[in-house]
Amino acid sequence: MNQLRQQLNFLREIDRLKSVIRQSPLLDQSRKENSAEHSWHLAMYALLLRDHAMGVIDVERVIKMLLIHDIVEVDVGDTPIHSGASSQDQALLETQAAARLFGLLPEPQSSELLALWHEFEDAMTEDAKFAKAVDRVQPLLVNVHTGGGTWTENGVSLEQVLQRYGPVIARGSPALWQVCEQLAREHFAAQKSAI
Protein backbone atom coordinates (compact mmCIF):
# COMPACT_ATOMS: atom_id res chain seq x y z
CA MET A 1 0.00 0.00 0.00
CA ASN A 2 2.91 2.37 0.70
CA GLN A 3 4.16 1.93 -2.87
CA LEU A 4 0.73 2.77 -4.25
CA ARG A 5 0.50 5.86 -2.06
CA GLN A 6 3.90 7.03 -3.31
CA GLN A 7 2.80 6.58 -6.92
CA LEU A 8 -0.47 8.45 -6.31
CA ASN A 9 1.43 11.22 -4.52
CA PHE A 10 3.76 11.59 -7.52
CA LEU A 11 0.80 11.70 -9.91
CA ARG A 12 -0.83 14.38 -7.76
CA GLU A 13 2.41 16.39 -7.68
CA ILE A 14 2.91 16.34 -11.45
CA ASP A 15 -0.64 17.60 -11.98
CA ARG A 16 1.02 20.98 -11.40
CA LEU A 17 2.61 20.63 -14.87
CA LYS A 18 -0.80 21.61 -16.28
CA SER A 19 -0.29 25.05 -14.68
CA VAL A 20 3.14 25.71 -16.20
CA ILE A 21 2.41 28.07 -19.09
CA ARG A 22 4.82 28.07 -22.01
CA GLN A 23 5.53 30.93 -24.41
CA SER A 24 4.16 29.00 -27.39
CA PRO A 25 0.52 29.58 -28.23
CA LEU A 26 -1.94 26.98 -29.40
CA LEU A 27 -2.22 27.03 -33.18
CA ASP A 28 -5.58 28.80 -32.96
CA GLN A 29 -3.76 31.43 -30.81
CA SER A 30 -6.60 31.43 -28.26
CA ARG A 31 -4.11 30.98 -25.40
CA LYS A 32 -0.62 29.76 -24.52
CA GLU A 33 -0.08 26.02 -24.20
CA ASN A 34 0.89 24.44 -20.91
CA SER A 35 3.78 22.04 -20.41
CA ALA A 36 1.55 18.99 -19.92
CA GLU A 37 -0.11 19.64 -23.29
CA HIS A 38 3.31 20.11 -24.86
CA SER A 39 4.53 16.76 -23.52
CA TRP A 40 1.44 14.94 -24.77
CA HIS A 41 1.78 16.53 -28.20
CA LEU A 42 5.44 15.53 -28.43
CA ALA A 43 4.51 11.93 -27.60
CA MET A 44 2.13 12.02 -30.57
CA TYR A 45 4.87 13.49 -32.78
CA ALA A 46 7.18 10.61 -31.84
CA LEU A 47 4.49 8.01 -32.42
CA LEU A 48 3.67 9.33 -35.89
CA LEU A 49 7.13 10.45 -37.07
CA ARG A 50 9.24 7.55 -35.76
CA ASP A 51 10.05 6.33 -39.26
CA HIS A 52 12.00 9.54 -39.84
CA ALA A 53 14.46 9.01 -36.97
CA MET A 54 18.13 9.09 -37.92
CA GLY A 55 18.88 5.78 -36.22
CA VAL A 56 17.01 2.76 -34.95
CA ILE A 57 14.82 3.83 -32.03
CA ASP A 58 12.54 2.24 -29.48
CA VAL A 59 9.49 4.47 -29.86
CA GLU A 60 8.07 3.39 -26.50
CA ARG A 61 11.22 4.65 -24.75
CA VAL A 62 11.12 7.87 -26.78
CA ILE A 63 7.49 8.44 -25.77
CA LYS A 64 8.37 7.82 -22.11
CA MET A 65 11.17 10.38 -22.38
CA LEU A 66 8.87 12.94 -23.92
CA LEU A 67 6.18 12.39 -21.30
CA ILE A 68 8.66 12.97 -18.46
CA HIS A 69 11.21 15.40 -19.96
CA ASP A 70 9.50 18.56 -18.70
CA ILE A 71 8.26 17.27 -15.34
CA VAL A 72 11.07 19.30 -13.74
CA GLU A 73 9.14 22.41 -14.77
CA VAL A 74 6.81 21.71 -11.84
CA ASP A 75 9.63 23.15 -9.69
CA VAL A 76 11.54 25.44 -12.07
CA GLY A 77 8.99 26.60 -14.64
CA ASP A 78 9.52 26.77 -18.39
CA THR A 79 12.65 28.42 -19.74
CA PRO A 80 12.12 29.32 -23.40
CA ILE A 81 14.96 28.64 -25.81
CA HIS A 82 15.21 32.37 -26.61
CA SER A 83 15.27 33.54 -22.98
CA GLY A 84 19.04 33.99 -22.71
CA ALA A 85 19.05 32.24 -19.31
CA SER A 86 22.32 30.64 -18.15
CA SER A 87 22.25 27.04 -19.35
CA GLN A 88 24.50 25.93 -16.47
CA ASP A 89 22.26 27.50 -13.82
CA GLN A 90 19.17 26.08 -15.49
CA ALA A 91 20.72 22.59 -15.71
CA LEU A 92 21.53 22.63 -11.99
CA LEU A 93 18.00 23.69 -11.04
CA GLU A 94 16.47 21.07 -13.31
CA THR A 95 18.73 18.32 -11.96
CA GLN A 96 17.68 19.19 -8.41
CA ALA A 97 14.02 19.22 -9.45
CA ALA A 98 14.39 15.83 -11.17
CA ALA A 99 15.92 14.31 -8.04
CA ARG A 100 13.11 15.66 -5.86
CA LEU A 101 10.21 14.80 -8.14
CA PHE A 102 11.30 11.34 -9.30
CA GLY A 103 12.41 10.70 -5.71
CA LEU A 104 8.73 10.76 -4.74
CA LEU A 105 8.29 7.43 -6.53
CA PRO A 106 9.11 4.03 -5.06
CA GLU A 107 12.04 2.03 -6.38
CA PRO A 108 12.68 0.87 -9.04
CA GLN A 109 10.42 3.45 -10.74
CA SER A 110 12.27 6.36 -9.16
CA SER A 111 15.67 5.31 -10.52
CA GLU A 112 14.23 4.22 -13.87
CA LEU A 113 12.53 7.54 -14.61
CA LEU A 114 15.43 9.60 -13.29
CA ALA A 115 17.83 7.67 -15.54
CA LEU A 116 15.49 8.16 -18.51
CA TRP A 117 15.31 11.90 -17.78
CA HIS A 118 19.13 12.11 -17.66
CA GLU A 119 19.35 10.13 -20.90
CA PHE A 120 17.07 12.67 -22.58
CA GLU A 121 19.12 15.57 -21.23
CA ASP A 122 22.43 14.04 -22.34
CA ALA A 123 21.05 13.20 -25.82
CA MET A 124 23.69 10.57 -26.58
CA THR A 125 21.49 7.59 -27.46
CA GLU A 126 19.46 7.29 -30.66
CA ASP A 127 16.25 7.40 -28.60
CA ALA A 128 17.29 10.60 -26.84
CA LYS A 129 18.52 12.27 -30.04
CA PHE A 130 15.17 11.67 -31.68
CA ALA A 131 13.27 12.81 -28.58
CA LYS A 132 15.31 16.03 -28.49
CA ALA A 133 14.69 16.57 -32.20
CA VAL A 134 10.94 16.24 -31.77
CA ASP A 135 11.09 18.62 -28.79
CA ARG A 136 12.53 21.27 -31.14
CA VAL A 137 10.29 20.49 -34.13
CA GLN A 138 7.01 21.20 -32.36
CA PRO A 139 7.74 24.80 -31.26
CA LEU A 140 9.35 25.55 -34.63
CA LEU A 141 6.16 24.48 -36.39
CA VAL A 142 4.05 26.48 -33.93
CA ASN A 143 6.03 29.60 -34.80
CA VAL A 144 5.73 28.96 -38.54
CA HIS A 145 1.98 28.33 -38.33
CA THR A 146 1.22 31.32 -36.09
CA GLY A 147 2.86 33.96 -38.25
CA GLY A 148 6.08 34.07 -36.26
CA GLY A 149 4.70 33.63 -32.74
CA THR A 150 7.49 33.81 -30.19
CA TRP A 151 10.07 34.49 -32.89
CA THR A 152 8.39 37.78 -33.68
CA GLU A 153 7.84 38.59 -29.98
CA ASN A 154 11.53 38.00 -29.23
CA GLY A 155 13.06 39.41 -32.42
CA VAL A 156 14.48 36.06 -33.50
CA SER A 157 16.21 35.97 -36.89
CA LEU A 158 16.41 33.17 -39.44
CA GLU A 159 20.08 32.70 -38.55
CA GLN A 160 19.16 32.18 -34.89
CA VAL A 161 16.50 29.62 -35.86
CA LEU A 162 18.99 27.74 -38.02
CA GLN A 163 21.59 27.73 -35.22
CA ARG A 164 19.27 26.88 -32.33
CA TYR A 165 16.99 24.34 -33.95
CA GLY A 166 19.00 22.95 -36.84
CA PRO A 167 21.75 20.91 -35.19
CA VAL A 168 19.43 19.29 -32.64
CA ILE A 169 16.73 18.38 -35.15
CA ALA A 170 19.18 17.22 -37.84
CA ARG A 171 21.04 15.03 -35.33
CA GLY A 172 17.85 13.12 -34.55
CA SER A 173 16.16 13.33 -37.94
CA PRO A 174 17.76 14.85 -41.04
CA ALA A 175 14.46 14.38 -42.90
CA LEU A 176 12.55 16.43 -40.32
CA TRP A 177 15.21 19.14 -40.38
CA GLN A 178 15.05 19.35 -44.18
CA VAL A 179 11.32 20.09 -44.03
CA CYS A 180 11.60 22.38 -40.98
CA GLU A 181 14.46 24.38 -42.50
CA GLN A 182 12.45 24.90 -45.67
CA LEU A 183 9.39 26.02 -43.68
CA ALA A 184 11.50 28.42 -41.58
CA ARG A 185 13.15 29.92 -44.66
CA GLU A 186 9.76 30.34 -46.35
CA HIS A 187 8.38 32.00 -43.22
CA PHE A 188 11.22 34.53 -42.95
CA ALA A 189 11.15 35.22 -46.71
CA ALA A 190 7.41 35.96 -46.48
CA GLN A 191 8.01 38.22 -43.46
CA LYS A 192 10.72 40.10 -45.33
CA SER A 193 8.61 40.61 -48.45
CA ALA A 194 5.70 41.86 -46.32
CA ILE A 195 7.83 44.76 -45.00
Side-chain angles (χ1 to χ4, degrees):
M1 201 55 134
N2 188 40
Q3 178 181 357
L4 179 56
R5 284 184 177 268
Q6 285 178 281
Q7 291 166 325
L8 292 173
N9 185 45
F10 174 79
L11 291 168
R12 186 182 72 238
E13 185 72 5
I14 66 169
D15 184 74
R16 294 173 45 210
L17 199 59
K18 298 173 190 174
S19 300
V20 176
I21 306 302
R22 298 171 48 82
Q23 270 199 343
S24 298
L26 301 181
L27 290 183
D28 70 3
Q29 300 184 49
S30 61
R31 64 176 173 83
K32 304 282 186 180
E33 76 175 345
N34 67 51
S35 288
E37 293 168 324
H38 169 70
S39 296
W40 162 81
H41 206 193
L42 293 182
M44 291 300 299
Y45 270 66
L47 182 64
L48 297 176
L49 302 175
R50 65 182 175 229
D51 294 338
H52 303 288
M54 173 71 168
V56 176
I57 62 163
D58 177 343
V59 74
E60 184 177 328
R61 289 187 82 251
V62 172
I63 289 171
K64 284 181 184 179
M65 281 182 199
L66 293 170
L67 289 173
I68 69 165
H69 82 289
D70 277 343
I71 283 178
V72 296
E73 293 180 4
V74 164
D75 285 359
V76 300
D78 178 51
T79 304
I81 191 171
H82 310 296
S83 71
S86 162
S87 59
Q88 288 179 331
D89 292 346
Q90 189 65 23
L92 176 61
L93 292 173
E94 289 181 358
T95 299
Q96 292 169 344
R100 183 189 84 76
L101 290 160
F102 296 122
L104 297 173
L105 286 165
E107 290 296 344
Q109 285 179 327
S110 176
S111 295
E112 176 191 344
L113 293 186
L114 184 59
L116 204 57
W117 181 83
H118 280 292
E119 182 180 341
F120 173 85
E121 289 299 311
D122 295 340
M124 299 304 291
T125 64
E126 293 303 317
D127 291 345
K129 289 175 194 175
F130 185 64
K132 281 278 193 183
V134 169
D135 189 34
R136 293 284 169 91
V137 167
Q138 190 252 3
L140 183 148
L141 293 178
V142 167
N143 281 303
V144 166
H145 295 302
T146 58
T150 60
W151 293 344
T152 303
E153 292 170 13
N154 294 290
V156 174
S157 68
L158 173 61
E159 292 73 27
Q160 288 173 306
V161 169
L162 298 178
Q163 289 172 2
R164 291 177 181 170
Y165 294 84
V168 175
I169 297 173
R171 190 168 179 234
S173 175
L176 278 173
W177 177 239
Q178 185 178 5
V179 171
C180 287
E181 181 181 10
Q182 182 179 359
L183 289 170
R185 288 184 184 281
E186 289 170 2
H187 163 76
F188 281 97
Q191 296 296 313
K192 192 174 184 180
S193 66
I195 296 175

